[in-house]
Short mmCIF file of all heavy atoms in Angstrom, two decimals:
data_model
loop_
_atom_site.label_atom_id
_atom_site.label_comp_id
_atom_site.label_asym_id
_atom_site.label_seq_id
_atom_site.Cartn_x
_atom_site.Cartn_y
_atom_site.Cartn_z
N LEU A 1 126.30 89.14 100.06
CA LEU A 1 125.07 89.82 99.67
C LEU A 1 125.18 91.31 100.00
O LEU A 1 125.40 91.68 101.15
CB LEU A 1 123.86 89.23 100.40
CG LEU A 1 122.53 89.94 100.18
CD1 LEU A 1 122.08 89.84 98.73
CD2 LEU A 1 121.45 89.38 101.11
N LYS A 2 125.07 92.13 98.99
CA LYS A 2 125.06 93.58 99.19
C LYS A 2 123.65 94.08 98.89
O LYS A 2 123.06 93.70 97.88
CB LYS A 2 126.08 94.26 98.26
CG LYS A 2 127.52 93.86 98.56
CD LYS A 2 128.47 94.66 97.71
CE LYS A 2 129.91 94.24 97.88
NZ LYS A 2 130.42 94.20 99.20
N ILE A 3 123.14 94.91 99.78
CA ILE A 3 121.81 95.47 99.60
C ILE A 3 121.92 96.97 99.46
O ILE A 3 122.41 97.65 100.37
CB ILE A 3 120.87 95.10 100.76
CG1 ILE A 3 120.72 93.58 100.87
CG2 ILE A 3 119.49 95.75 100.57
CD1 ILE A 3 119.90 93.11 102.06
N GLU A 4 121.49 97.47 98.31
CA GLU A 4 121.41 98.91 98.08
C GLU A 4 119.98 99.33 98.43
O GLU A 4 119.03 98.94 97.76
CB GLU A 4 121.72 99.26 96.63
CG GLU A 4 123.15 98.94 96.25
CD GLU A 4 123.46 99.26 94.80
OE1 GLU A 4 122.54 99.64 94.04
OE2 GLU A 4 124.64 99.12 94.42
N LEU A 5 119.85 100.10 99.50
CA LEU A 5 118.54 100.51 99.99
C LEU A 5 118.19 101.88 99.43
O LEU A 5 118.87 102.86 99.69
CB LEU A 5 118.56 100.55 101.52
CG LEU A 5 117.27 100.98 102.21
CD1 LEU A 5 116.13 100.01 101.90
CD2 LEU A 5 117.49 101.10 103.71
N LEU A 6 117.14 101.91 98.62
CA LEU A 6 116.59 103.16 98.11
C LEU A 6 115.39 103.48 98.98
O LEU A 6 114.35 102.84 98.88
CB LEU A 6 116.17 103.01 96.64
CG LEU A 6 117.29 102.97 95.60
CD1 LEU A 6 118.20 101.77 95.76
CD2 LEU A 6 116.71 102.98 94.20
N HIS A 7 115.56 104.44 99.87
CA HIS A 7 114.64 104.64 100.99
C HIS A 7 114.02 106.03 100.90
O HIS A 7 114.72 107.04 101.01
CB HIS A 7 115.45 104.50 102.28
CG HIS A 7 114.68 104.51 103.55
ND1 HIS A 7 113.56 105.28 103.77
CD2 HIS A 7 114.88 103.84 104.71
CE1 HIS A 7 113.12 105.09 105.00
NE2 HIS A 7 113.91 104.22 105.59
N ALA A 8 112.70 106.10 100.71
CA ALA A 8 112.02 107.39 100.66
C ALA A 8 112.16 108.10 102.01
O ALA A 8 112.10 107.48 103.07
CB ALA A 8 110.54 107.20 100.33
N LEU A 9 112.38 109.39 101.93
CA LEU A 9 112.50 110.18 103.15
C LEU A 9 111.18 110.16 103.93
O LEU A 9 110.10 110.30 103.34
CB LEU A 9 112.86 111.63 102.81
CG LEU A 9 114.29 111.86 102.36
CD1 LEU A 9 114.43 113.22 101.69
CD2 LEU A 9 115.25 111.73 103.53
N VAL A 10 111.31 109.96 105.23
CA VAL A 10 110.18 110.03 106.16
C VAL A 10 110.64 110.90 107.32
O VAL A 10 111.77 111.41 107.32
CB VAL A 10 109.74 108.62 106.65
CG1 VAL A 10 109.12 107.83 105.51
CG2 VAL A 10 110.89 107.86 107.27
N LYS A 11 109.82 111.07 108.34
CA LYS A 11 110.22 111.87 109.49
C LYS A 11 111.60 111.44 109.95
O LYS A 11 111.91 110.25 110.01
CB LYS A 11 109.20 111.72 110.62
CG LYS A 11 107.86 112.34 110.28
CD LYS A 11 106.86 112.12 111.39
CE LYS A 11 105.51 112.68 110.97
NZ LYS A 11 104.46 112.36 111.94
N PHE A 12 112.44 112.42 110.27
CA PHE A 12 113.85 112.14 110.48
C PHE A 12 114.14 111.15 111.61
O PHE A 12 115.08 110.37 111.51
CB PHE A 12 114.63 113.44 110.68
CG PHE A 12 114.78 114.24 109.42
CD1 PHE A 12 114.75 115.62 109.46
CD2 PHE A 12 114.94 113.62 108.19
CE1 PHE A 12 114.88 116.37 108.30
CE2 PHE A 12 115.07 114.36 107.02
CZ PHE A 12 115.05 115.73 107.08
N ASP A 13 113.34 111.14 112.67
CA ASP A 13 113.62 110.16 113.73
C ASP A 13 113.42 108.74 113.20
O ASP A 13 114.22 107.84 113.49
CB ASP A 13 112.76 110.42 114.98
CG ASP A 13 111.27 110.37 114.71
OD1 ASP A 13 110.83 110.60 113.56
OD2 ASP A 13 110.52 110.10 115.67
N ARG A 14 112.42 108.54 112.37
CA ARG A 14 112.19 107.21 111.78
C ARG A 14 113.22 106.88 110.71
O ARG A 14 113.67 105.75 110.60
CB ARG A 14 110.78 107.15 111.18
CG ARG A 14 109.70 107.24 112.23
CD ARG A 14 108.34 107.20 111.59
NE ARG A 14 107.30 107.32 112.59
CZ ARG A 14 106.03 107.49 112.31
NH1 ARG A 14 105.63 107.53 111.06
NH2 ARG A 14 105.14 107.58 113.27
N PHE A 15 113.59 107.88 109.92
CA PHE A 15 114.58 107.66 108.88
C PHE A 15 115.92 107.28 109.49
O PHE A 15 116.61 106.37 109.03
CB PHE A 15 114.71 108.90 107.99
CG PHE A 15 115.53 108.67 106.77
CD1 PHE A 15 115.00 108.02 105.66
CD2 PHE A 15 116.85 109.10 106.70
CE1 PHE A 15 115.76 107.78 104.52
CE2 PHE A 15 117.62 108.87 105.57
CZ PHE A 15 117.07 108.22 104.48
N GLU A 16 116.29 107.97 110.56
CA GLU A 16 117.56 107.69 111.22
C GLU A 16 117.55 106.32 111.89
O GLU A 16 118.57 105.62 111.91
CB GLU A 16 117.89 108.82 112.20
CG GLU A 16 118.23 110.10 111.45
CD GLU A 16 118.32 111.34 112.31
OE1 GLU A 16 118.14 111.26 113.54
OE2 GLU A 16 118.61 112.43 111.73
N TRP A 17 116.42 105.91 112.42
CA TRP A 17 116.30 104.57 112.97
C TRP A 17 116.50 103.54 111.86
O TRP A 17 117.17 102.53 112.05
CB TRP A 17 114.93 104.41 113.63
CG TRP A 17 114.74 103.15 114.39
CD1 TRP A 17 115.04 102.93 115.71
CD2 TRP A 17 114.19 101.91 113.89
NE1 TRP A 17 114.72 101.63 116.05
CE2 TRP A 17 114.20 100.99 114.96
CE3 TRP A 17 113.70 101.51 112.65
CZ2 TRP A 17 113.73 99.69 114.82
CZ3 TRP A 17 113.24 100.21 112.52
CH2 TRP A 17 113.25 99.32 113.59
N SER A 18 115.94 103.83 110.69
CA SER A 18 116.11 102.94 109.54
C SER A 18 117.57 102.85 109.11
O SER A 18 118.05 101.77 108.74
CB SER A 18 115.28 103.42 108.34
OG SER A 18 113.91 103.27 108.58
N ILE A 19 118.28 103.96 109.14
CA ILE A 19 119.71 103.94 108.80
C ILE A 19 120.45 103.03 109.76
O ILE A 19 121.25 102.18 109.34
CB ILE A 19 120.31 105.36 108.84
CG1 ILE A 19 119.76 106.21 107.69
CG2 ILE A 19 121.85 105.32 108.79
CD1 ILE A 19 120.15 107.67 107.76
N GLU A 20 120.17 103.18 111.04
CA GLU A 20 120.83 102.36 112.06
C GLU A 20 120.57 100.87 111.82
O GLU A 20 121.49 100.06 111.77
CB GLU A 20 120.32 102.78 113.44
CG GLU A 20 120.92 102.02 114.58
CD GLU A 20 120.36 102.48 115.92
OE1 GLU A 20 120.56 103.67 116.26
OE2 GLU A 20 119.69 101.67 116.59
N LYS A 21 119.31 100.51 111.66
CA LYS A 21 118.96 99.09 111.54
C LYS A 21 119.38 98.51 110.19
O LYS A 21 119.83 97.36 110.12
CB LYS A 21 117.45 98.88 111.76
CG LYS A 21 116.97 99.33 113.12
CD LYS A 21 117.82 98.81 114.25
CE LYS A 21 117.42 99.39 115.59
NZ LYS A 21 118.42 99.16 116.64
N SER A 22 119.24 99.27 109.12
CA SER A 22 119.65 98.74 107.82
C SER A 22 121.17 98.57 107.76
O SER A 22 121.67 97.65 107.09
CB SER A 22 119.14 99.62 106.67
OG SER A 22 119.68 100.92 106.75
N THR A 23 121.90 99.42 108.46
CA THR A 23 123.36 99.24 108.54
C THR A 23 123.68 97.95 109.27
O THR A 23 124.52 97.16 108.83
CB THR A 23 124.01 100.44 109.26
OG1 THR A 23 123.77 101.63 108.50
CG2 THR A 23 125.51 100.24 109.42
N GLU A 24 123.01 97.70 110.38
CA GLU A 24 123.22 96.44 111.13
C GLU A 24 122.88 95.23 110.27
O GLU A 24 123.51 94.18 110.39
CB GLU A 24 122.37 96.44 112.40
CG GLU A 24 122.84 97.43 113.45
CD GLU A 24 121.91 97.47 114.65
OE1 GLU A 24 121.19 96.48 114.91
OE2 GLU A 24 121.87 98.51 115.33
N LEU A 25 121.89 95.37 109.39
CA LEU A 25 121.47 94.26 108.54
C LEU A 25 122.28 94.17 107.25
O LEU A 25 122.01 93.31 106.42
CB LEU A 25 119.97 94.39 108.22
CG LEU A 25 119.04 94.04 109.37
CD1 LEU A 25 117.62 94.53 109.09
CD2 LEU A 25 119.04 92.54 109.62
N GLY A 26 123.27 95.03 107.09
CA GLY A 26 124.21 94.86 105.99
C GLY A 26 124.00 95.71 104.76
O GLY A 26 124.56 95.41 103.71
N ALA A 27 123.23 96.80 104.85
CA ALA A 27 123.07 97.67 103.67
C ALA A 27 124.44 98.17 103.23
O ALA A 27 125.26 98.58 104.05
CB ALA A 27 122.17 98.86 104.00
N SER A 28 124.71 98.11 101.94
CA SER A 28 125.99 98.60 101.43
C SER A 28 125.89 100.06 100.95
O SER A 28 126.88 100.77 100.90
CB SER A 28 126.47 97.72 100.27
OG SER A 28 125.52 97.73 99.22
N ARG A 29 124.68 100.48 100.63
CA ARG A 29 124.45 101.85 100.17
C ARG A 29 123.03 102.24 100.58
O ARG A 29 122.11 101.41 100.50
CB ARG A 29 124.63 101.94 98.65
CG ARG A 29 124.15 103.22 98.03
CD ARG A 29 124.49 103.32 96.54
NE ARG A 29 125.41 104.42 96.39
CZ ARG A 29 126.71 104.34 96.17
NH1 ARG A 29 127.27 103.16 96.04
NH2 ARG A 29 127.45 105.41 96.07
N ILE A 30 122.86 103.47 101.02
CA ILE A 30 121.54 103.99 101.37
C ILE A 30 121.33 105.27 100.56
O ILE A 30 122.12 106.21 100.65
CB ILE A 30 121.40 104.27 102.87
CG1 ILE A 30 121.63 102.99 103.68
CG2 ILE A 30 120.04 104.88 103.18
CD1 ILE A 30 121.73 103.20 105.19
N THR A 31 120.29 105.26 99.75
CA THR A 31 119.97 106.41 98.91
C THR A 31 118.64 107.00 99.36
O THR A 31 117.60 106.38 99.17
CB THR A 31 119.88 106.01 97.42
OG1 THR A 31 121.11 105.39 97.03
CG2 THR A 31 119.62 107.21 96.54
N PRO A 32 118.66 108.18 99.99
CA PRO A 32 117.40 108.83 100.38
C PRO A 32 116.66 109.31 99.13
O PRO A 32 117.27 109.89 98.23
CB PRO A 32 117.85 110.03 101.23
CG PRO A 32 119.28 109.75 101.59
CD PRO A 32 119.83 108.93 100.47
N LEU A 33 115.37 109.02 99.09
CA LEU A 33 114.56 109.38 97.92
C LEU A 33 113.60 110.52 98.25
O LEU A 33 112.87 110.46 99.24
CB LEU A 33 113.76 108.17 97.45
CG LEU A 33 114.54 106.93 97.04
CD1 LEU A 33 113.58 105.82 96.62
CD2 LEU A 33 115.54 107.24 95.94
N ALA A 34 113.60 111.52 97.41
CA ALA A 34 112.65 112.62 97.51
C ALA A 34 111.46 112.25 96.63
O ALA A 34 111.33 112.71 95.50
CB ALA A 34 113.28 113.93 97.07
N ALA A 35 110.60 111.38 97.16
CA ALA A 35 109.46 110.87 96.40
C ALA A 35 108.37 111.94 96.28
O ALA A 35 108.36 112.93 97.02
CB ALA A 35 108.91 109.62 97.07
N ALA A 36 107.44 111.71 95.39
CA ALA A 36 106.36 112.67 95.16
C ALA A 36 105.54 112.91 96.42
O ALA A 36 105.08 114.02 96.67
CB ALA A 36 105.47 112.19 94.02
N ARG A 37 105.36 111.87 97.24
CA ARG A 37 104.54 112.00 98.45
C ARG A 37 105.37 112.26 99.70
O ARG A 37 104.84 112.23 100.81
CB ARG A 37 103.68 110.75 98.62
CG ARG A 37 102.62 110.66 97.53
CD ARG A 37 101.67 109.50 97.72
NE ARG A 37 100.64 109.56 96.70
CZ ARG A 37 100.17 108.50 96.05
NH1 ARG A 37 100.63 107.28 96.33
NH2 ARG A 37 99.24 108.63 95.14
N THR A 38 106.66 112.53 99.53
CA THR A 38 107.50 112.92 100.67
C THR A 38 107.17 114.36 101.04
O THR A 38 107.02 115.21 100.15
CB THR A 38 108.99 112.81 100.31
OG1 THR A 38 109.30 111.46 99.98
CG2 THR A 38 109.87 113.24 101.47
N ASP A 39 107.06 114.63 102.33
CA ASP A 39 106.80 116.01 102.76
C ASP A 39 107.91 116.92 102.27
O ASP A 39 109.10 116.64 102.45
CB ASP A 39 106.72 116.09 104.30
CG ASP A 39 105.46 115.47 104.85
OD1 ASP A 39 104.48 115.31 104.10
OD2 ASP A 39 105.44 115.14 106.06
N LYS A 40 107.54 118.02 101.65
CA LYS A 40 108.52 118.94 101.06
C LYS A 40 109.48 119.53 102.09
O LYS A 40 110.67 119.70 101.79
CB LYS A 40 107.81 120.07 100.28
CG LYS A 40 106.94 119.56 99.14
CD LYS A 40 107.68 118.57 98.23
CE LYS A 40 106.76 117.95 97.21
NZ LYS A 40 106.95 116.53 97.04
N PRO A 41 109.05 119.86 103.33
CA PRO A 41 110.03 120.36 104.31
C PRO A 41 111.11 119.32 104.64
O PRO A 41 112.25 119.69 104.90
CB PRO A 41 109.18 120.66 105.55
CG PRO A 41 107.80 120.90 105.03
CD PRO A 41 107.67 119.99 103.83
N LEU A 42 110.78 118.03 104.58
CA LEU A 42 111.79 117.00 104.81
C LEU A 42 112.83 117.01 103.70
O LEU A 42 114.03 116.89 103.96
CB LEU A 42 111.14 115.61 104.89
CG LEU A 42 110.28 115.30 106.10
CD1 LEU A 42 109.65 113.92 105.95
CD2 LEU A 42 111.10 115.36 107.38
N VAL A 43 112.37 117.16 102.48
CA VAL A 43 113.29 117.19 101.34
C VAL A 43 114.22 118.39 101.47
O VAL A 43 115.44 118.28 101.28
CB VAL A 43 112.52 117.24 100.00
CG1 VAL A 43 113.48 117.39 98.83
CG2 VAL A 43 111.66 115.99 99.83
#
């Protein structure tokens, strides 16, 4: 099972925690998303 995670950008400490945990859970690809409601400074 390969999981491609399309993950909207959030505050970097939370986003980085998500990278860590999704990697442990087997994500094969992580694509940060610059969504319409993502804070522009984060993008």
Side-chain angles (χ1 to χ4, degrees):
L1 174 65
K2 296 185 185 307
I3 300 175
E4 295 179 355
L5 179 63
L6 285 63
H7 187 324
L9 286 164
V10 292
K11 292 178 184 173
F12 288 144
D13 59 335
R14 294 179 181 171
F15 190 79
E16 291 170 0
W17 188 89
S18 291
I19 291 172
E20 180 181 297
K21 300 311 174 194
S22 62
T23 298
E24 291 175 24
L25 286 166
S28 60
R29 168 174 244 105
I30 301 171
T31 304
L33 301 179
R37 292 185 175 139
T38 299
D39 288 340
K40 300 310 173 223
L42 290 176
V43 175

